[in-house]
Amino acid sequence: MQSPKLLRNAQTQHGDASSVDVENIFLHRHMLSTNPSSGGNITDREESPECVWFPDDTDGNPAKSKDPPISLSEEKSETQTKEILAEKRKASSADDEGHVKKVKLDANGLKTKRPGFSDERYDETSYYFENGLRKVYPYFFTFTTFAKGRWVDEKILDVFVREFRAAPPEEYERSLEAGKLTVNYEKVPKDYKIKHNDLLANVVHRHEVPVTSQPIKIVYMDKDIVVVNKPASIPVHPCGRYRHNTVVFILAKEHNLKNLRTIHRLDRLTSGLLLFGRTAERARELELQIRTRQVQKEYVCRVEGRFPDGTVECNEKIDVVSYKIGVCKVSPKGKDCKTTFKRIGEVGSDSIVLCKPLTGRMHQIRVHLQYLGYPISNDPLYNHEVFGPLKGKGGDIGGITEEQLISNLISIHNAENWLGLEGDQIVSAEIKGGATSTSVVENPLNSETAAPVISETLEPNNATATQTCYEEPDRSFDPKKTTSDPQCSECKINYRDPGTKDLIMYLHAWKYRGVGWEYETELPDWACSSSIDYDQL
């Protein structure tokens, strides 16, 4: 491990900082240049609690950093020469400091340049299949974060209990006592008060949430781009309790598709088209097309009730109620949004609806359908009484404030962080050396029949070496590959396996059409492709 004196931090990659994993960062060393043209402040870490570290190169040969020779008139005395040199070095130093303070790592600009994860990270653990699910063997992982300003002068135990909530307070207390939770790589007492620039590190025994074992099918691939059909339940990139059970990790570990650039994202429970860039140039090009609304998107969903005839257009503004838990609602203070809907079929009392979002706001389709009074049938968030008796129809959230809505969501909702306990917590008396699979099946998925078949709209480049499989998951649980930690509370709990209702939401990204390209997938079973003529749409 690098000495703390030889470490410096950089910004994180994705979304809400509280849900970003430490290794979810992609930065080239040259991006840390102190070129003032970059603008901004590289030292601003207020919204970047998870960091990655690079060796400091400033301890190299000092001869390489000498000032260039200064041409002086021969009439100047040696004393004058020294004074001029000193003044010049002083000015240069001040300029350099100014340049460093002006540097800004623009997340939007760097998104397509990050080179990805190291093989060491991919090798932390491996997969196995069980009950139609993809599971990850538990593994040890170190979370690191620099202290935020609001944490300063607060007790470290209080901060972890309030800010992270990934474990009960007593577990954080045990971690402090055992030296697993450190400050600047040193053990501290639980009443230690956090200081500015403290580096907090917490070694945890990590248990990831199972996802579907349906394969991530390649729709199209060439040297510049990869297009896949993402199954529902798999997040795009590491976040929260998901790391190896994410699209970017699975593609890297099983298809050797590494260093992919994220162009856009889908919600964890949404299935369908997902585009990645293999080159920075192509990624920037496609991202620009999406940002400038040159990409036409078509989604299919299944909603409650009989959706109205004809084309329905919703132009209600959408505001983010809470970035921390990822919840939005229609609000006049929100951002402009536009979505068109058309009923294309019926299934019992539900309707199959074609959705065309003309803007790209967070949860746009789901929120607009909630507002119209036709929420997605199995949407665990926006089809819920937590939004009031009308479930948010017409913007009615039951007369409560947004603050109360957030509080209620945090206390009862588990849409984005599913954890199913088998009845009460089943605590084993002792963790034995010979671990076994402890899952309990509830409505297991049949990956053989549930996996959709992909319709390739373009001929993929079969000559690409990374088309082949790289690492095959275990077909069953292998106790030799698992790890345990006597102080890990999750090792003592039996979890219920998630069922279909926990893994699938009836929303599918069907078609994307941009400038000079078009991709689509076949539709999931719930979309009733056998009874609806999608070709006529």
Side-chain angles (χ1 to χ4, degrees):
M1 178 180 292
Q2 295 287 339
S3 166
K5 295 181 179 179
L6 300 180
L7 301 175
R8 61 173 178 259
N9 78 306
Q11 291 181 338
T12 54
Q13 179 189 10
H14 295 297
D16 179 13
S18 65
S19 67
V20 179
D21 288 1
V22 58
E23 293 300 333
N24 192 18
I25 301 167
F26 303 78
L27 287 172
H28 286 296
R29 186 183 300 276
H30 68 77
M31 294 177 187
L32 297 176
S33 166
T34 56
N35 189 332
S37 63
S38 300
N41 186 352
I42 194 173
T43 62
D44 183 7
R45 305 187 185 104
E46 180 63 22
E47 297 302 325
S48 304
E50 321 287 28
C51 301
V52 70
W53 321 110
F54 298 93
D56 197 332
D57 294 327
T58 58
D59 288 351
N61 186 353
K64 294 181 180 179
S65 60
K66 287 183 178 179
D67 291 302
I70 302 173
S71 177
L72 298 173
S73 171
E74 292 182 358
E75 287 78 16
K76 294 183 181 292
S77 67
E78 182 177 354
T79 301
Q80 290 174 316
T81 300
K82 291 181 179 179
E83 290 176 352
I84 293 174
L85 286 170
E87 287 296 319
K88 188 168 184 67
R89 290 192 179 101
K90 182 177 180 180
S92 298
S93 175
D95 289 343
D96 288 343
E97 291 179 4
H99 291 170
V100 171
K101 292 179 180 179
K102 293 178 182 178
V103 173
K104 179 181 176 67
L105 295 178
D106 183 357
N108 291 328
L110 297 183
K111 186 187 304 180
T112 59
K113 299 178 183 177
R114 300 181 172 105
F117 297 91
S118 65
D119 287 341
E120 180 184 1
R121 298 308 174 194
Y122 295 129
D123 295 338
E124 288 169 334
T125 185
S126 57
Y127 304 110
Y128 66 97
F129 290 153
E130 185 178 63
N131 302 328
L133 299 169
R134 176 189 295 273
K135 299 184 178 182
V136 174
Y137 290 104
Y139 58 99
F140 290 94
F141 182 78
T142 302
F143 286 98
T144 58
T145 175
F146 274 107
K148 287 189 176 184
R150 65 174 181 269
W151 301 350
V152 174
D153 292 331
E154 288 201 54
K155 295 180 180 179
I156 186 170
L157 182 59
D158 295 340
V159 169
F160 268 79
V161 171
R162 182 186 72 242
E163 297 280 343
F164 298 98
R165 301 195 303 273
E170 54 270 17
E171 185 164 331
Y172 287 126
E173 188 171 353
R174 285 196 300 267
S175 295
L176 284 166
E177 293 172 352
K180 290 183 177 181
L181 204 171
T182 61
V183 177
N184 303 321
Y185 301 103
E186 295 181 355
K187 183 177 179 180
V188 296
K190 63 181 180 181
D191 59 351
Y192 172 85
K193 291 188 176 180
I194 295 175
K195 302 179 178 63
H196 285 291
N197 298 321
D198 272 349
L199 175 61
L200 313 181
N202 187 26
V203 180
V204 299
H205 190 232
R206 194 161 185 179
H207 295 246
E208 295 200 21
V209 179
V211 299
T212 179
S213 62
Q214 292 182 25
I216 300 174
K217 296 288 189 69
I218 306 294
V219 175
Y220 175 78
M221 180 169 67
D222 59 25
K223 63 181 178 62
D224 296 317
I225 190 173
V226 177
V227 184
V228 304
N229 185 7
K230 183 187 90 68
S233 80
I234 307 178
V236 175
H237 53 72
C239 57
R241 295 180 61 87
Y242 301 87
R243 180 174 168 77
H244 289 265
N245 260 347
T246 58
V247 175
V248 294
F249 265 71
I250 294 170
L251 289 177
K253 291 160 72 79
E254 296 185 5
H255 295 269
N256 202 22
L257 286 168
K258 302 177 181 179
N259 308 329
L260 298 179
R261 277 81 173 174
T262 302
I263 296 172
H264 69 112
R265 302 185 184 103
L266 296 175
D267 293 340
R268 177 176 64 87
L269 294 177
T270 302
S271 58
L273 279 172
L274 190 59
L275 282 65
F276 292 98
R278 301 187 72 186
T279 62
E281 294 75 17
R282 184 59 171 163
R284 280 194 293 267
E285 178 185 339
L286 294 179
E287 188 179 21
L288 180 63
Q289 289 186 27
I290 292 175
R291 191 163 59 243
T292 55
R293 301 178 185 174
Q294 299 180 66
V295 176
Q296 301 174 40
K297 306 175 186 177
E298 295 185 33
Y299 289 69
V300 176
C301 68
R302 180 171 167 174
V303 305
E304 280 188 353
R306 191 178 191 279
F307 201 79
D309 296 332
T311 299
V312 176
E313 184 175 295
C314 186
N315 295 288
E316 298 296 329
K317 294 181 178 181
I318 291 179
D319 187 36
V320 179
V321 177
S322 171
Y323 285 100
K324 190 174 185 66
I325 60 175
V327 177
C328 304
K329 65 182 289 289
V330 165
S331 171
K333 63 182 181 181
K335 295 182 178 180
D336 292 335
C337 294
K338 182 177 180 180
T339 317
T340 63
F341 302 96
K342 184 178 181 180
R343 189 185 76 247
I344 57 176
E346 296 180 31
V347 183
S349 60
D350 290 350
S351 301
I352 304 297
V353 176
L354 180 67
C355 318
K356 296 182 179 181
L358 281 75
T359 51
R361 307 303 179 199
M362 178 180 175
H363 296 176
Q364 177 175 322
I365 293 174
R366 299 165 66 184
V367 173
H368 272 174
L369 285 170
Q370 178 197 48
Y371 181 84
L372 294 173
Y374 300 93
I376 294 174
S377 300
N378 60 350
D379 190 329
L381 178 58
Y382 296 104
N383 190 4
H384 198 288
E385 290 80 0
V386 70
F387 283 92
L390 299 180
K391 299 181 181 179
K393 179 179 179 180
D396 186 343
I397 59 173
I400 62 176
T401 64
E402 290 188 357
E403 290 73 19
Q404 185 61 48
L405 174 63
I406 295 172
S407 176
N408 293 345
L409 284 165
I410 291 175
S411 63
I412 70 171
H413 198 69
N414 61 358
E416 298 301 327
N417 256 336
W418 179 89
L419 279 180
L421 296 176
E422 171 59 10
D424 296 329
Q425 295 187 5
I426 303 175
V427 181
S428 58
E430 182 179 358
I431 299 176
K432 305 293 184 181
T436 60
S437 178
T438 58
S439 61
V440 179
V441 184
E442 178 179 296
N443 298 328
L445 297 178
N446 185 337
S447 60
E448 298 298 326
T449 59
V453 179
I454 303 306
S455 173
E456 297 179 358
T457 59
L458 294 174
E459 247 344 273
N461 182 359
N462 292 321
T464 306
T466 52
Q467 185 82 7
T468 59
C469 184
Y470 183 64
E471 177 184 320
E472 186 71 16
D474 294 341
R475 290 297 165 179
S476 61
F477 178 78
D478 184 353
K480 296 179 181 179
K481 291 187 177 181
T482 194
T483 60
S484 62
D485 181 359
Q487 295 182 337
C488 174
S489 60
E490 294 196 44
C491 284
K492 306 172 184 178
I493 299 175
N494 283 352
Y495 287 106
R496 162 179 72 80
D497 276 349
T500 304
K501 64 182 179 62
D502 303 305
L503 299 175
I504 296 176
M505 182 172 65
Y506 296 152
L507 179 61
H508 181 82
W510 178 34
K511 287 184 180 181
Y512 278 22
R513 183 185 301 108
V515 180
W517 56 270
E518 179 180 358
Y519 306 106
E520 72 174 71
T521 70
E522 284 195 356
L523 293 151
D525 292 340
W526 56 260
C528 304
S529 56
S530 60
S531 59
I532 299 175
D533 189 356
Y534 282 90
D535 292 336
Q536 297 300 317
L537 298 178

